[in-house]
Amino acid sequence: MNTKDIFNFLKPKNELENQGEFAQNHPYIPEELWVKCPVCKNVILSSDLVDNHKVCTKCNYHFRIAARQRIEMTVDEGTFSETDADMSSKNIIDFPDYTRKLKNAKINSGENESVITGTAKIGGTDTVIAVMNSQFMMGSMGTVTGEKITRAFEYATEHKLPIVIFTVSGGARMQEGIMSLMQMAKTSGAAKLHSDAGLLYITVLTDPTTGGVTASFAMEGDIILAEPHALIGFAGPRVIEQTIRQKLPKDFQSAEFLLEKGFVDAVVQRKDMKQTLAKLLKLHCKAKKEEVNEDERV
Amino acid sequence: MSAYDCVIAARANDRPTSIDYITRIFGDSFFELHGDRRFSDDKAVVGGIAELNGEPITVIGLEKGRNLKERMYRNFGSSHPEGYRKALRLMKQAEKFKRPVICFVDTSGAYCGIGAEERGQGQAIAENLMEMMTLRTPILSIFIGEGGSGGALALAVSDEVWMLENAIYSVISPEGCASILWKDSSKTAEASECLKLTSQDLFKLGVIERIIREPKDVDSKLFDSLKNLIASTFEKKMAIAPEKLIESRYNRFRKF
């Protein structure tokens, strides 16, 4: 390793990163044994962190986690069946450097897009699930992201299923120009038809959920949950500070702040998320059965 | 005209604003309605009822203001959540009384600030997108100047979207795009090209249905022809059953 490489040193996030372009530019190191919490600086044994749902054992900081891990933590074992796994974005408006960025995002995340969709059972209840991935271009919403979420809603409407969406996003994907903006309308329309069919939609806002995703499907759930301390907002804190030329108060735009202001139903610890979703899904499942009985009576 | 020339023209101070269009097209028949019935009356959104060739119509416009004093009063056309909630209230009213809705769009974007976030800017926009999609009456949106991101889309989930020739519509301002992409907000001209934000580009992409030619000097001809165009469009749209209308509106956005 020469001195130049020291500054070029990055920890690979997963197996796929050790291949292709990334591996050529960065020296390989194995998974670290220790992880430092970015908030309290506490050093935690990696295995302890995993056992604790990737939540800091000392200060309760919820580490950002990959979509696959989230699904594993949330759904009943072996019940997840992925849909539209192969869909991936193209550089539709010939935006400079986007093709390369997409390629890198695929390598870095090991995924084809910023959202994974599918069907699963949570606590025994059938549901559609979509989980966004911060490792893919900061979960930005491109055409394919919007399309996969729209299809997930349409599938749920057609099969009379509830839908659970975990959001994490920096907002609309600038590199797709107006087409990314249109995804906000498209996904909202699909959410509305699902809602009009009397079906349950639960959103779980995770760190960070901002911009075009906040201003569309993230805020359209019948029930909106959030992970502790997650940053949630329309404009990002830096943009606001630049606009109003003053420092923002501490915890502004945190999940707890939104709970206080009335925009979130509950802040739920990661360790309790699965059972909370299971409970809520079950409650609505019951309501649906009664409705069927009533119809039969008529 | 380059994309950047369009950006400059779309933002020009002497460009007609929503109030100009409302006054010139609907004249004295316009009666302004205020407030979102939740928190306050947002001055960046003007709304009310008017008459178009004898038929009632709901009119909503994002208003930037025509001089500095007005611009400050109108918060430079950047709405808080209350503005979007006022717009939605008026749209729901239009649905109830079975009259069409016209929206004039001219904003650099939804306002970013402490109050806007505290009162749910994202939620307000999201609700408009959702509710407009299934509104049981025709909606037409005309971009007359700037169409800034979600703050513009919140008044543009419509059956048709038209743009003035030199208006723009973009997911992010060219300055914002340049500073993210090249860490240099002065590369606005390059960013304007990349974003495909002109009426020509957007027409090609199928995002808008019609481009309204702009005469060199804005004269009454523009408003007269626009008035006739709006009237004949609504005449056709009002004849369509609400279910059909909603279906084609959904498909309009579903294709993107």
Side-chain angles (χ1 to χ4, degrees):
Chain A
M1 190 192 289
N2 59 39
T3 33
K4 189 179 104 232
D5 287 338
I6 294 172
F7 300 104
N8 207 12
F9 189 84
L10 273 173
K11 188 179 85 69
K13 293 188 195 99
N14 57 35
E15 290 284 304
L16 271 150
E17 267 194 358
N18 298 323
Q19 300 161 12
E21 205 176 310
F22 191 93
Q24 282 164 25
N25 301 333
H26 303 86
Y28 174 75
I29 54 151
E31 277 284 330
E32 280 176 51
L33 268 173
W34 302 90
V35 181
K36 195 173 174 185
C37 171
V39 175
C40 71
K41 313 291 177 208
N42 183 34
V43 176
I44 317 154
L45 197 62
S46 283
S47 55
D48 285 354
L49 190 64
V50 171
D51 289 345
N52 201 36
H53 302 90
K54 291 235 173 172
V55 174
C56 176
T57 45
K58 202 174 164 197
C59 75
N60 197 35
Y61 170 72
H62 283 53
F63 281 75
R64 287 179 190 170
I65 55 171
R68 298 267 165 207
Q69 244 176 323
R70 179 83 67 181
I71 293 168
E72 204 177 295
M73 278 179 190
T74 311
V75 309
D76 299 350
E77 208 183 325
T79 61
F80 180 68
S81 158
E82 192 172 351
T83 49
D84 302 313
D86 298 332
M87 282 184 80
S88 71
S89 296
K90 289 193 184 85
N91 191 355
I92 39 178
I93 61 165
D94 286 324
F95 202 90
D97 216 24
Y98 182 40
T99 309
R100 190 188 62 84
K101 278 205 175 111
L102 271 176
K103 199 174 143 201
N104 279 357
K106 282 183 194 177
I107 293 167
N108 289 343
S109 66
E111 303 291 349
N112 281 329
E113 247 309 330
S114 63
V115 68
I116 297 171
T117 55
T119 54
K121 281 185 197 290
I122 299 176
T125 309
D126 284 308
T127 185
V128 172
I129 184 167
V131 181
M132 299 186 79
N133 201 342
S134 62
Q135 291 175 357
F136 193 104
M137 295 187 81
M138 204 50 237
S140 65
M141 177 156 62
T143 313
V144 172
T145 317
E147 180 65 22
K148 285 178 82 169
I149 285 169
T150 302
R151 287 186 188 195
F153 272 117
E154 288 176 340
Y155 182 90
T157 308
E158 193 187 328
H159 294 86
K160 298 194 171 26
L161 288 170
I163 183 167
V164 176
I165 301 186
F166 284 81
T167 61
V168 54
S169 179
R173 190 175 297 165
M174 182 182 76
Q175 290 85 352
E176 293 191 15
I178 200 77
M179 289 307 178
S180 66
L181 192 71
M182 292 300 116
Q183 303 313 310
M184 292 169 64
K186 187 168 93 178
T187 52
S188 297
K192 182 63 164 50
L193 297 192
H194 181 260
S195 177
D196 286 352
L199 300 164
L200 173 70
Y201 169 28
I202 303 176
T203 9
V204 185
L205 313 176
T206 73
D207 185 60
T209 295
T210 59
V213 167
T214 299
S216 63
F217 61 88
M219 281 293 165
E220 290 165 355
D222 298 294
I223 296 172
I224 303 179
L225 308 176
E227 277 200 329
H229 313 302
L231 173 85
I232 304 155
F234 174 62
R238 246 180 313 160
V239 178
I240 301 173
E241 285 183 343
Q242 279 165 16
T243 311
I244 62 173
R245 290 166 213 273
Q246 65 185 77
K247 270 265 176 235
L248 290 170
K250 200 178 162 279
D251 294 332
F252 184 70
Q253 298 183 309
S254 67
E256 293 73 14
F257 175 88
L258 267 86
L259 180 70
E260 182 60 33
K261 296 293 171 193
F263 289 97
V264 161
D265 287 292
V267 176
V268 179
Q269 302 287 328
R270 192 174 286 165
K271 66 174 170 50
D272 302 328
M273 191 59 80
K274 181 176 176 168
Q275 67 190 67
T276 305
L277 290 172
K279 182 180 169 177
L280 291 171
L281 287 166
K282 197 160 253 164
L283 281 169
H284 290 81
C285 203
K286 230 182 201 167
K288 227 171 89 184
K289 269 187 203 140
E290 273 164 20
E291 198 178 288
V292 172
N293 289 342
E294 237 168 63
D295 288 347
E296 280 168 4
R297 253 181 273 144
V298 177
Chain B
M1 219 162 144
S2 74
Y4 188 52
D5 291 334
C6 259
V7 173
I8 293 169
R11 291 171 175 171
N13 278 344
D14 57 355
R15 207 177 163 78
T17 65
S18 288
I19 286 182
D20 293 316
Y21 283 85
I22 294 170
T23 326
R24 300 290 285 275
I25 294 173
F26 305 105
D28 290 341
S29 77
F30 179 68
F31 185 81
E32 190 173 355
L33 301 169
H34 293 274
D36 68 343
R37 302 292 190 270
R38 299 284 184 272
F39 183 76
S40 73
D41 180 45
D42 197 307
K43 309 294 188 292
V45 175
V46 174
I49 33 178
E51 228 175 68
L52 179 66
N53 292 353
E55 297 292 331
I57 181 170
T58 288
V59 183
I60 300 164
L62 279 157
E63 174 60 33
K64 278 187 172 178
R66 291 164 293 185
N67 52 50
L68 186 62
K69 203 175 152 197
E70 273 189 30
R71 278 193 269 280
M72 287 171 73
Y73 178 72
R74 300 286 177 192
N75 199 30
F76 299 84
S78 283
S79 173
H80 282 74
E82 297 76 51
Y84 298 114
R85 290 183 183 131
K86 168 160 76 174
L88 184 59
R89 175 174 84 85
L90 298 183
M91 288 186 222
K92 287 279 180 190
Q93 198 180 65
E95 181 181 52
K96 175 178 173 183
F97 295 105
K98 299 184 173 59
R99 56 183 180 239
V101 180
I102 185 155
C103 299
F104 295 101
V105 179
D106 189 14
T107 180
S108 59
Y111 188 67
C112 347
I114 292 179
E117 292 290 325
E118 279 180 337
R119 302 194 295 276
Q121 188 70 286
Q123 188 276 336
I125 295 172
E127 190 168 3
N128 278 23
L129 306 185
M130 227 182 164
E131 293 300 325
M132 286 178 82
M133 192 61 92
T134 53
L135 201 79
R136 296 170 65 84
T137 197
I139 317 170
L140 167 65
S141 298
I142 306 181
F143 284 60
I144 57 170
E146 261 186 297
S149 198
L153 182 65
L155 291 186
V157 181
S158 318
D159 301 299
E160 285 191 22
V161 177
W162 301 352
M163 270 176 95
L164 270 286
E165 196 178 352
N166 298 326
I168 57 169
Y169 187 12
S170 177
V171 67
I172 186 171
S173 73
E175 290 80 3
C177 173
S179 77
I180 293 172
L181 203 60
W182 297 295
K183 314 269 175 255
D184 181 357
S185 58
S186 67
K187 290 192 172 170
T188 315
E190 288 96 318
S192 307
E193 289 294 339
C194 297
L195 285 167
K196 304 272 187 290
L197 45 66
T198 66
S199 57
Q200 299 283 348
D201 286 332
L202 295 165
F203 185 79
K204 274 184 223 147
L205 289 167
V207 174
I208 60 167
E209 274 77 15
R210 191 186 283 275
I211 299 173
I212 312 289
R213 297 276 159 229
E214 285 181 44
K216 271 226 153 46
D217 301 300
V218 177
D219 52 15
S220 59
K221 253 200 218 146
L222 170 69
F223 298 106
D224 285 345
S225 66
L226 202 52
K227 182 179 177 173
N228 292 333
L229 218 50
I230 295 166
S232 64
T233 302
F234 278 137
E235 204 178 312
K236 280 182 222 138
K237 300 270 182 210
M238 287 301 278
I240 303 170
E243 290 73 21
K244 281 266 173 231
L245 200 66
I246 291 166
E247 193 188 327
S248 63
R249 193 182 302 144
Y250 185 79
N251 290 333
R252 185 186 184 280
F253 289 94
R254 185 65 187 84
K255 70 176 191 270
F256 296 122

